[in-house]
């Protein structure tokens, strides 16, 4: 698949049969809805695009996630949610047989997923677990992390639901599961395996469950959602409502680049113009154009900057970087969001 942006002359909801949608920063922010998320998703579904919500959050049950989405006017059933807990349980099954002992350090979602995968749950390293499954839960403390470290030191396989260092909350970014996993890693010197994004495991499981033929990844984080899309060979839509900004996309390394960019989830309902390169080195998209001169990004915008400005800037910056001339980050402005 191309390392650059793709174009689509029809709405993405008409081109792809399944959207693999991230939650925080895409469908909602903390407990608050994101503007246009409900309209974008429900209209895409009405046009025939199926939805599976794919989250690195391993602490919650799929039913709980579905209830929250439904309460935000995005009607969802539990089987339309794929969590990192379910992916971690699937990863455990690749090496362990049912009946193996697993020390779970995490919330109810991870406990349920590991139990339902046929493993015996233990609470202490002294019970000689074959593996430690670690996921985020706000109530985790030193005692649980220490127990995980003892088990890993004694040879237990360390499987993390995900390695996100931060967790978005209504008050800002708090330590995520990756930060807590880091404590166990620091104590043991053992690098854990991870089932969550950017590993494409959850995407693959969700696609198999849905029987989809043309999936599209939708996310706000380049380092997890879009990196997972690239790793799995799936097209990815970057919506500018969460963590990674338009400027981040323009400066992204190849393994982090999205295939499409949109302001918000209305981008599922729209065609996506592909930037076109002119003979003089400019990349044009809509009423915007961009080029790179001696490592400096230059923009030519007619009227108000829009998401087409982001597309043109990304095309120019990526082409230059791929030719061995990376763009000086100081020349890339914070590009606007919230306009079409």
């Amino acid at each position: 698949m191309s390392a650059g942006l793709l174009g689509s002359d029809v709405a993405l909801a008409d081109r792809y049969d399944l959207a693999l949608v991230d939650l925080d920063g895409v469908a909602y922010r903390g407990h608050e809805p994101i503007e246009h998320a409900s309209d974008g998703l429900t209209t895409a579904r009405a046009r025939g695009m199926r939805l599976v919500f794919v989250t690195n959050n391993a602490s919650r049950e799929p039913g709980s996630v579905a209830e929250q989405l439904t309460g935000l006017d995005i009607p969802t059933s539990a089987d339309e949610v794929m969590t990192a807990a379910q992916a971690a349980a699937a990863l455990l099954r690749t090496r362990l047989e049912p009946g193996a002992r697993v020390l779970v350090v995490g919330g109810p979602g991870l406990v349920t997923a590991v139990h339902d995968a046929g493993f015996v749950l233990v609470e202490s390293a002294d019970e000689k677990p074959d593996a430690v499954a670690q996921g985020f839960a706000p109530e985790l403390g030193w005692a649980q992390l220490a127990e995980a470290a003892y088990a890993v030191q004694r040879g237990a396989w360390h499987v993390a639901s995900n390695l996100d260092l931060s967790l978005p909350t209504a008050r800002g970014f708090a330590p995520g599961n990756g930060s807590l996993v880091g404590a166990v890693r620091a104590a043991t010197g053992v690098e854990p395996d991870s089932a969550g994004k950017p590993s494409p495991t959850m995407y693959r499981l969700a696609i198999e469950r849905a029987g989809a033929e043309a999936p599209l990844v939708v996310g706000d984080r380049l380092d997890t959602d879009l990196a997972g899309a690239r790793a799995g060979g799936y097209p990815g839509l970057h919506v500018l409502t969460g963590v990674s900004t338009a400027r981040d996309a323009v400066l992204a390394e190849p393994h982090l680049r999205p295939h499409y960019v949109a302001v918000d989830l209305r981008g599922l309902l729209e065609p996506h113009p592909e930037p076109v390169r002119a003979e003089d080195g400019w990349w044009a998209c809509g009423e915007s154009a961009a080029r790179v001169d001696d490592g400096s990004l230059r923009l030519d915008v007619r009227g108000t900057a829009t998401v087409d400005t982001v597309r043109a800037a990304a095309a120019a910056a990526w082409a230059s970087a791929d030719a061995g001339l990376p763009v000086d980050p100081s020349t890339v402005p914070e590009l606007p969001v919230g306009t079409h």
Side-chain angles (χ1 to χ4, degrees):
M1 187 173 291
S2 169
L5 290 172
L6 299 178
S8 178
D9 57 3
V10 299
L12 299 184
D14 298 328
R15 179 168 183 172
Y16 299 98
D17 63 357
L18 174 68
L20 302 167
V21 186
D22 183 53
L23 290 176
D24 263 311
V26 178
Y28 53 66
R29 186 178 295 106
H31 294 287
E32 299 298 322
I34 286 179
E35 190 175 10
H36 305 300
S38 173
D39 290 345
L41 291 171
T42 56
T43 303
R45 181 186 274 148
R47 291 169 69 160
M49 176 179 255
R50 287 171 291 169
L51 307 177
V52 175
F53 295 91
V54 183
T55 174
N56 266 1
N57 189 328
S59 64
R60 300 172 62 192
E61 305 272 8
S64 172
V65 174
E67 288 178 7
Q68 180 180 0
L69 288 166
T70 300
L72 296 173
D73 294 325
I74 306 170
T76 305
S77 61
D79 62 1
E80 292 178 307
V81 177
M82 172 67 68
T83 71
Q86 294 169 305
L91 181 58
L92 289 169
R93 287 290 300 269
T94 65
R95 189 184 299 184
L96 302 178
E97 295 295 328
R101 295 170 175 263
V102 178
L103 172 64
V104 176
V105 179
L110 187 58
V111 171
T112 298
V114 173
H115 175 269
D116 290 351
F119 298 112
V120 175
L121 305 184
V122 302
E123 298 181 353
S124 169
D126 295 337
E127 296 178 79
K128 299 180 180 180
D130 300 288
V132 172
Q134 183 174 353
F136 177 81
E139 65 273 15
L140 285 182
W142 181 89
Q144 293 91 342
L145 297 177
E147 209 64 40
Y150 300 147
V152 172
Q153 290 170 29
R154 298 171 189 177
W157 178 25
H158 191 192
V159 172
S161 64
N162 67 291
L163 297 174
D164 293 30
L165 294 175
S166 63
L167 178 70
T169 74
R171 297 175 60 193
F173 291 98
N177 193 54
S179 296
L180 302 180
V181 168
V184 178
R185 182 197 293 115
T188 63
V190 175
E191 191 69 28
D193 289 319
S194 175
K197 298 176 282 187
S199 166
T201 300
M202 284 195 292
Y203 294 151
R204 176 179 54 79
L205 293 172
I207 293 165
E208 291 175 355
R209 177 195 288 181
E213 296 181 355
L216 173 71
V217 172
V218 183
D220 69 304
R221 294 184 69 134
L222 299 180
D223 60 344
T224 55
D225 307 319
L226 283 310
R230 286 284 179 184
Y234 309 120
L237 168 65
H238 178 203
V239 291
L240 303 174
T241 50
V243 173
S244 297
T245 66
R247 182 175 183 272
D248 293 332
V250 171
L251 293 171
E253 297 179 11
H255 71 287
L256 302 177
R257 294 174 184 167
H259 299 87
Y260 302 101
V261 180
V263 173
D264 51 51
L265 285 172
R266 289 175 294 178
L268 292 172
L269 313 177
E270 302 166 347
H272 285 247
E274 184 176 3
V276 177
R277 186 170 193 170
E279 292 183 359
D280 58 3
W282 287 91
W283 286 83
C285 189
E287 297 298 312
S288 295
R291 64 177 289 169
V292 177
D293 290 328
D294 296 325
S296 297
L297 179 69
R298 294 174 55 193
L299 297 176
D300 181 10
V301 181
R302 300 176 186 175
T304 304
T306 69
V307 70
D308 282 342
T309 310
V310 181
R311 293 175 178 133
W318 297 355
S320 182
D322 292 348
L325 300 170
V327 175
D328 180 352
S330 68
T331 70
V332 181
E334 286 292 351
L335 295 165
V337 296
T339 56
H340 275 63

